[in-house]
Amino acid sequence: MSKVTIVWFRRDLRLDDNLAFIAANKRGNVIPVFISPYSEPSSSSSGSSEEQLKSSRGLPEVKSTENESPWEGQDWAPSCAAKWWLEKSIQALSNELSKLGMTLILKKGPILSALLEVCIESQACSVFWNTHPHQQPNNTKIDTINDERLAMDLSNFDITTEIFSSDLLFGISEISKSKARKPFKSFDNFFRVCSSATTSPPHDFIHIPPRQPFNPKIKSLTLDQLNILKSNETTDNSDGRILFYMERIWTPGYDGAIRRLVQFLTRVLLAADSSQSVTSSNLSDDACSIVGPDMEQSRSVKTSEIVETIFGMYQRCQKDSSFLSTFASVEEGQITLDGQLGSLLSAHLRFGEISARRILDVIHVVAKRDGRRYMQEFETKFVRKLVRRDYAYHLSHHYPHMSCMPLNCKFNVYPWSSSSLNMLLWERGNTGYPIIDAGIRCLKSTGYIPDEISYLVAVFLVKYLCIPWQAGVKFFWEHLCSADLALVTYCWQLVTSSLPGEFQYFLQFDVIEDGKKFDSEGKFIRQWVPELKGLSSQVIHTPWNIHPTELLRHEIILGSTYPHPIVAFDSVRTMSNHAKEMMCSAHPVSVVTNTVAKTSLSMAKTVTNFSSQVKKSDGNSLNLENKCKSTPCFSETKTR
C-alpha cells in the first residue's frame, strides 16, 4: 500500500520548488492541507482529535505543548490587503492542485489539533512541511509556530515528520559567523560570506500519479468558511479603493508570479537596449558564485522554459514597442515610477508563490545568455537585494526583539518626538510635502508603495518629524499587502541607522531633491495628489514656492485645498544637531538601563494609540487637520 503523507502549506503556496511537496509526492499519496492562522478556532473540543488518535493507536497519555495560532485582536494582525492576497493565493493553489486530482484541505484552529484531525480521517502517518524564519517579538504572537516543538508533539502520536527549508537562498544555520554562530553586524560581511557559498538550484515539480486510486473522505472547510477576510473589513478605507486597485493590479498565485517575473525581465532587457551594449568585463563575480557555474542553460527545465518565454516576449517587443503595454493595466501604471524598474514581486515572495531560488536562477541565465554589461550589472544588484532579504531574517533570528527595540544601542537615548498630530497627518498623507503625501496615499489605496518612495516616506517620519521608527513599522504592517515583519523592521531600522555597526543618522537627507530625482515629471504626484495636478513638473514638488496668485489660478489654496508643510528643513537641521549633542554626550551604551532602552518603544505606542483613537472620531480628526492646514510652517521660503 502506498504511503500517505500530509503536506502542510504555510508560506509556500506553490508546487514549484516546494521541497516538502516534491518529497511527499515521490513517497506516495499526498494530502495537501492549509490551516488558516487568521481564523477563530472551531467550536469543537481541541482535545477530541488527540484522544481519538491515541485510542486508535493505543498510545499512552502524553501532555501536549499545543501550538496556538495568532487570533484576531492581538498585535500585528495582518492588513486587509494581506488577507485579500492570502485568500486569492489559496484559491490559486487549490486550482493548481485540482488539475493533479488533489483537493486542498482547508482547516482552522490550533495547528496540532487540525493536523491530528486530518491524520485520523486519512490514516496518514507522516507530516511534511517547509519551515521559514519567523520573528517572535516579546509582546506578540505572530506566527510563533515552533517547528521542533510541533514535530515533538506529533511524534508523541506516532506520526513521523520531515521539515524542509525552501524560503531563503541560504538557511539560517548555513551562514553564520564562526562556530559560535554569532550574528553578522554588517551586510557587506554577510554578503561576502554568501558570495563564497553556493545556493542549491531550484527543484522542478514533476507530478507522479498515485499507483492506485486514492480518494479519502476528509472534512474540509470552504474558503468562505475560513473567513480570512471578514465581510465587515472588505476595505481599509470608507470609499473602497483598496480592493478596487488590488483586483486590477495584482494576480496572486504561481501563474501571476511567473507572469510578473517575465514582464519585469523583459523590461530590463528593453532598458539594456538604450544603454551601452558591450561585453561584460571587470565585473564582480559575487552573483555568479552564489548561483553556481556560469551557464547559459539552467539545470532546471522550468527555468529554461521561463527564459525562453522572456526572450520570446523581448523579441516581440523589439518589433512592436506597444506589445508589452497590453499586459499591464492602467492602474498598474499608477503605482510605478517612470524610469524605475520595479519587479513588483515582493508580495509573491511574501506568500511563497515563487521561490527566491527560482528568481535567482532565471535572472542568472537571462544575464548570461544576453551577455551585455548592463545585464551583468543588473544581476549583481538584484542578487544583493535577494541576499539582503536573507540578512533581514538572519538579524531577526538572532535579535527576537528587533521589531520593537533598536539594534544600535546609541538610539536608546535618542530624543524622539511625541507629536501625535504630526503622526496623524503623516498617516493621512497631509504633510504638505507632495512626494510624501503621494506615497502614503498610494500605500493606503493599493497595498503597495515603490521602494524609492517608501525610502523617502520613512526618512521623512524618522529624520524630519523625529517620530520613533516603531510607529512606521506598525503603519506599514497594517497596509502593505506584502508585509513581512522581519523585512519591514529591517528596512525601517536601516533608514533610522539603528542596525548594529551602523551610525549614519546625521547624514543630510533632502526628500524634495530625492523626490525630484525619482519622479522628475511629477506623474506619481499628480496621480495620488490630484489637488496639485495642474502644476508643472518644475514646481509640483515645492508648491509653497509659488506665488499665491499663481496657485489660485490652479484652484490651489495652501492651508485650505492643500496643507502647508508641517515641518521646515531648517528646523530639521536644528533637531538633528540637538540629537547629535545628546547622543554624543550620553553615557557609554553598555551602561544604558533597560528603562531608558524602552523609552522609544513606549513613545511609539503612545503616538500610534493616539492616531487610532482619533480615527474613531471624525470630528476630532477634522479639527486636527484643519488646525494644521491653517498654521503654515513656512509658505514662501525655500527648503534648502
Side-chain angles (χ1 to χ4, degrees):
M1 181 177 178
S2 181
K3 298 179 180 179
V4 179
T5 306
I6 293 174
V7 175
W8 171 33
F9 284 89
R10 299 170 69 188
R11 271 182 47 172
D12 49 359
L13 303 178
R14 65 181 185 275
L15 304 184
D16 175 58
D17 198 26
N18 187 322
L19 301 186
F21 188 83
I22 292 173
N25 186 57
K26 290 179 179 178
R27 188 171 183 265
N29 295 319
V30 178
I31 300 177
V33 176
F34 177 83
I35 305 171
S36 173
Y38 307 131
S39 306
E40 294 293 341
S42 57
S43 58
S44 61
S45 172
S46 61
S48 60
S49 55
E50 302 176 27
E51 295 170 359
Q52 186 176 349
L53 189 61
K54 288 175 184 176
S55 175
S56 63
R57 298 189 178 181
L59 297 173
E61 194 72 26
V62 180
K63 185 177 180 180
S64 167
T65 55
E66 181 62 272
N67 290 270
E68 296 291 340
S69 297
W71 312 131
E72 294 296 339
Q74 300 207 12
D75 290 343
W76 307 105
S79 66
C80 170
K83 289 182 179 180
W84 175 88
W85 193 292
L86 179 60
E87 273 199 352
K88 299 296 183 181
S89 188
I90 293 172
Q91 184 61 62
L93 176 64
S94 179
N95 294 339
E96 196 171 354
L97 287 167
S98 64
K99 295 177 182 178
L100 304 178
M102 301 182 190
T103 301
L104 179 62
I105 306 301
L106 303 179
K107 295 286 185 179
K108 62 181 179 180
I111 301 299
L112 179 60
S113 298
L115 289 175
L116 292 179
E117 186 178 336
V118 179
C119 287
I120 293 171
E121 296 174 345
S122 63
Q123 298 299 310
C125 296
S126 300
V127 179
F128 290 4
W129 70 84
N130 294 307
T131 185
H132 68 83
H134 49 269
Q135 193 172 356
Q136 299 184 25
N138 297 333
N139 65 330
T140 67
K141 286 185 68 178
I142 175 173
D143 205 0
T144 56
I145 304 302
N146 186 298
D147 293 317
E148 289 73 20
R149 191 178 69 184
L150 179 60
M152 180 182 66
D153 286 344
L154 289 171
S155 67
N156 291 335
F157 298 96
D158 200 24
I159 297 174
T160 61
T161 59
E162 282 195 45
I163 306 174
F164 302 82
S165 177
S166 62
D167 193 45
L168 301 178
L169 295 177
F170 302 96
I172 295 294
S173 59
E174 293 179 43
I175 305 297
S176 58
K177 189 176 182 181
S178 77
K179 294 182 180 180
R181 303 199 183 282
K182 296 179 181 179
F184 286 88
K185 295 185 177 181
S186 166
F187 170 72
D188 290 335
N189 291 337
F190 181 83
F191 184 75
R192 194 175 299 112
V193 172
C194 290
S195 300
S196 62
T198 301
T199 184
S200 59
H203 294 71
D204 294 349
F205 168 67
I206 302 175
H207 179 52
I208 302 175
R211 301 180 182 86
Q212 54 189 7
F214 180 69
N215 296 302
K217 295 182 179 180
I218 303 175
K219 297 178 182 178
S220 175
L221 300 174
T222 64
L223 194 55
D224 290 337
Q225 289 174 328
L226 281 186
N227 202 23
I228 295 174
L229 185 62
K230 297 178 175 59
S231 57
N232 62 348
E233 58 170 355
T234 54
T235 61
D236 273 349
N237 43 38
S238 57
D239 58 2
R241 285 178 298 173
I242 185 75
L243 293 187
F244 172 84
Y245 278 102
M246 292 200 67
E247 290 174 353
R248 287 161 176 77
I249 295 173
W250 307 110
T251 306
Y254 174 74
D255 290 341
I258 295 298
R259 190 181 305 118
R260 187 71 71 184
L261 178 61
V262 169
Q263 293 175 7
F264 170 54
L265 291 180
T266 301
R267 289 191 176 95
V268 174
L269 288 169
L270 292 172
D273 290 344
S274 58
S275 179
Q276 186 178 6
S277 300
V278 296
T279 305
S280 60
S281 60
N282 300 323
L283 290 175
S284 169
D285 293 328
D286 291 342
C288 297
S289 62
I290 290 177
V291 177
D294 295 342
M295 299 181 297
E296 289 191 16
Q297 294 295 327
S298 171
R299 286 168 287 181
S300 166
V301 175
K302 187 62 181 179
T303 293
S304 301
E305 292 175 354
I306 297 172
V307 170
E308 290 301 324
T309 303
I310 292 170
F311 277 96
M313 182 174 286
Y314 167 58
Q315 294 169 3
R316 177 75 180 271
C317 290
Q318 286 181 313
K319 299 176 182 178
D320 181 6
S321 58
S322 63
F323 177 70
L324 189 62
S325 62
T326 60
F327 292 88
S329 64
V330 175
E331 290 77 17
E332 183 177 323
Q334 296 171 355
I335 65 171
T336 54
L337 300 171
D338 287 342
Q340 303 295 329
L341 294 170
S343 68
L344 303 180
L345 285 166
S346 56
H348 295 289
L349 273 170
R350 160 66 178 84
F351 292 95
E353 298 167 351
I354 188 171
S355 68
R357 287 195 299 256
R358 178 66 69 193
I359 295 174
L360 182 65
D361 198 41
V362 170
I363 290 177
H364 178 65
V365 175
V366 168
K368 291 301 297 181
R369 177 170 168 178
D370 182 79
R372 287 176 288 183
R373 181 185 181 89
Y374 181 95
M375 292 302 299
Q376 300 297 326
E377 292 176 341
F378 161 76
E379 180 191 6
T380 300
K381 292 177 181 178
F382 205 88
V383 166
R384 286 184 68 89
K385 282 189 174 183
L386 291 176
V387 175
R388 194 175 289 275
R389 177 173 177 264
D390 277 32
Y391 183 56
Y393 286 117
H394 171 82
L395 290 178
S396 69
H397 173 78
H398 290 283
Y399 300 102
H401 59 280
M402 181 178 169
S403 65
C404 54
M405 300 292 288
L407 300 188
N408 187 325
C409 295
K410 290 181 181 291
F411 282 85
N412 289 331
V413 294
Y414 188 83
W416 295 109
S417 168
S418 58
S419 174
S420 301
L421 174 59
N422 283 349
M423 178 66 190
L424 176 67
L425 293 171
W426 179 84
E427 288 183 347
R428 293 294 181 91
N430 284 324
T431 66
Y433 283 72
I435 193 65
I436 304 301
D437 296 339
I440 291 293
R441 297 179 190 185
C442 175
L443 173 60
K444 294 178 67 176
S445 295
T446 67
Y448 173 82
I449 181 172
D451 290 344
E452 298 82 3
I453 304 302
S454 67
Y455 163 77
L456 298 182
V457 164
V459 165
F460 188 84
L461 183 72
V462 174
K463 302 184 186 295
Y464 277 56
L465 302 182
C466 286
I467 291 176
W469 56 268
Q470 294 95 331
V473 170
K474 185 71 172 176
F475 181 81
F476 267 49
W477 174 266
E478 292 174 347
H479 292 88
L480 276 174
C481 63
S482 60
D484 183 293
L485 188 58
L487 293 177
V488 171
T489 301
Y490 171 80
C491 290
W492 275 91
Q493 291 224 40
L494 179 65
V495 169
T496 307
S497 304
S498 59
L499 290 175
E502 296 187 20
F503 193 63
Q504 301 176 345
Y505 185 88
F506 302 106
L507 295 178
Q508 293 297 322
F509 294 88
D510 191 336
V511 297
I512 298 174
E513 292 303 318
D514 287 340
K516 290 178 180 178
K517 180 174 65 175
F518 297 142
D519 188 28
S520 58
E521 298 299 322
K523 175 185 173 183
F524 188 76
I525 292 177
R526 291 188 186 91
Q527 171 60 38
W528 297 107
V529 189
E531 306 96 301
L532 307 178
K533 63 181 179 182
L535 299 180
S536 65
S537 57
Q538 289 76 20
V539 298
I540 196 170
H541 287 270
T542 55
W544 54 85
N545 286 335
I546 307 175
H547 195 277
T549 304
E550 180 66 17
L551 287 175
L552 192 59
R553 191 168 68 86
H554 295 286
E555 300 181 351
I556 300 172
I557 302 175
L558 290 184
S560 178
T561 61
Y562 187 70
H564 289 285
I566 61 176
V567 64
F569 191 80
D570 290 340
S571 64
V572 172
R573 251 185 300 196
T574 302
M575 289 187 294
S576 178
N577 291 334
H578 172 63
K580 183 177 183 180
E581 292 175 2
M582 283 194 64
M583 297 175 74
C584 291
S585 62
H587 292 288
V589 295
S590 59
V591 299
V592 174
T593 63
N594 290 333
T595 302
V596 175
K598 295 179 180 178
T599 301
S600 62
L601 175 60
S602 61
M603 190 175 295
K605 286 185 175 180
T606 301
V607 171
T608 306
N609 291 340
F610 175 85
S611 300
S612 301
Q613 292 171 6
V614 172
K615 290 173 185 177
K616 298 179 182 178
S617 173
D618 293 337
N620 290 342
S621 176
L622 290 173
N623 290 337
L624 287 170
E625 291 189 36
N626 291 334
K627 178 182 176 181
C628 180
K629 285 183 178 180
S630 61
T631 308
C633 179
F634 63 104
S635 56
E636 296 183 5
T637 57
K638 293 185 178 181
T639 58
R640 204 169 188 176

